[in-house]
Amino acid sequence: MTGYIPTLEQVDELHHRIAPSDAAYDLIHRHCVIVARIARALARRQNALFTRRCTLPQDAAELAGRGGAAASDTNTEAQHVVPPSDNVIGGKVPPRLIDEHLVVIGGLLHDIGTYRVLKHDGTDGEPLQFNGPEYIKHGILGYEYLLEQGVAEEIAQFARNHTGVGLTKDDVVRQGLPLPPADYVPVNLEQELVMVADKYNSKSLPPKFLTADAYTVRAERFGEENKQRWLDLLDQYGVVDVEPMAAEYGMVLKR
């Protein structure tokens, strides 16, 4: 591996180095902090399920799809037996433990490319505004920036591979997106967790939180397959109750 994995202090330096104004830093860095917190909660939930995998009843929903009775019994709906934790409800046992530190660092840097898609960046006396047509490029721009700064490829990929519920090459071509035709999808569980966490908070002005149901409606705008991808992610990672966090940050919660 070449490049370095940033410390928390270095993460903040990377944000300040690219932020064109304090207003832009406040908006984008705050979003990244929120996403990192949600992703860490999801990672902790997955790790708790993994740790308990050998003690769960064979008909537990947490084991569905992993060879337990819950995977083969089509007559009854499997029930979750592990109580909610860290405001995460449900979820299934993952194939391995999640690297919680990697998830936090990736979450803190995933949207760093959005500094480069601002139409009004806080330096021109105008309110912050993103450049709509260019916004889709923020993932690859963030990826390139992090590599330029010497950050490890495995960290830079958090920026590249988090948009939507994963952009495939087919998505890029079919939608005529202004991106090089390629897959922009998570390549490991840590990246996938950050991608999921990102859907619960929006940098729209003013910024807001979204429930899982609210994002389901948004995902459906891009087709039934896109919606199903999101529902499958919820099935694996569980549903986050973001109402307490919305209250903490004083943001609207879209249900």
Side-chain angles (χ1 to χ4, degrees):
M1 180 187 74
T2 59
Y4 71 100
I5 297 178
T7 63
L8 293 177
E9 182 178 356
Q10 289 170 328
V11 164
D12 199 45
E13 291 172 358
L14 287 164
H15 272 274
H16 277 293
R17 198 172 295 158
I18 191 175
S21 66
D22 289 343
Y25 170 86
D26 289 343
L27 175 69
I28 293 168
H29 183 263
R30 178 180 56 203
H31 167 74
C32 288
V33 169
I34 289 170
V35 169
R37 289 180 60 185
I38 295 173
R40 182 178 59 187
L42 287 167
R44 286 176 173 173
R45 175 69 174 182
Q46 287 285 286
N47 287 343
L49 294 177
F50 184 85
T51 302
R52 292 189 59 175
R53 68 194 185 283
C54 295
T55 62
L56 293 172
Q58 285 298 301
D59 60 351
E62 289 85 352
L63 293 172
R66 297 185 55 79
S72 57
D73 186 352
T74 58
N75 295 320
T76 59
E77 183 177 349
Q79 299 295 313
H80 287 282
V81 299
V82 180
S85 55
D86 290 308
N87 291 318
V88 182
I89 305 163
K92 292 181 180 177
V93 173
R96 62 168 173 81
L97 287 171
I98 308 294
D99 187 330
E100 294 182 21
H101 178 69
L102 203 62
V103 162
V104 169
I105 299 300
L108 289 171
L109 290 171
H110 80 284
D111 245 0
I112 202 160
T114 53
Y115 291 110
R116 291 186 167 170
V117 291
L118 284 163
K119 182 178 181 180
H120 295 296
D121 63 8
T123 65
D124 56 5
E126 296 290 333
L128 289 177
Q129 182 181 349
F130 288 106
N131 185 331
E134 294 294 303
Y135 188 81
I136 192 68
K137 297 179 182 178
H138 77 276
I140 196 166
L141 291 173
Y143 170 74
E144 292 170 350
Y145 167 71
L146 292 174
L147 292 181
E148 289 166 4
Q149 298 300 312
V151 174
E153 170 78 20
E154 66 176 306
I155 299 299
Q157 285 182 356
F158 280 93
R160 184 186 186 277
N161 299 334
H162 76 274
T163 302
V165 290
L167 281 174
T168 66
K169 181 178 179 179
D170 180 65
D171 292 330
V172 173
V173 173
R174 179 167 42 81
Q175 298 178 39
L177 300 177
L179 294 169
D183 288 326
Y184 301 91
V185 298
V187 298
N188 56 42
L189 299 179
E190 286 77 13
Q191 290 179 25
E192 191 166 75
L193 270 175
V194 169
M195 180 186 73
V196 170
D198 181 50
K199 307 293 96 73
Y200 286 97
N201 184 255
S202 170
K203 297 181 303 302
S204 60
L205 299 167
K208 60 179 176 287
F209 282 85
L210 293 83
T211 64
D213 286 343
Y215 191 80
T216 301
V217 174
R218 180 175 294 189
E220 192 172 20
R221 297 176 191 168
F222 298 94
E224 192 62 32
E225 182 180 347
N226 195 70
K227 174 185 174 182
Q228 190 57 51
R229 284 187 214 166
W230 171 242
L231 294 177
D232 290 344
L233 290 166
L234 292 178
D235 190 43
Q236 174 61 47
Y237 295 114
V239 173
V240 182
D241 176 9
V242 291
E243 187 169 359
M245 195 175 284
E248 176 186 343
Y249 283 91
M251 292 185 190
V252 169
L253 174 60
K254 185 173 182 180
R255 300 180 184 275

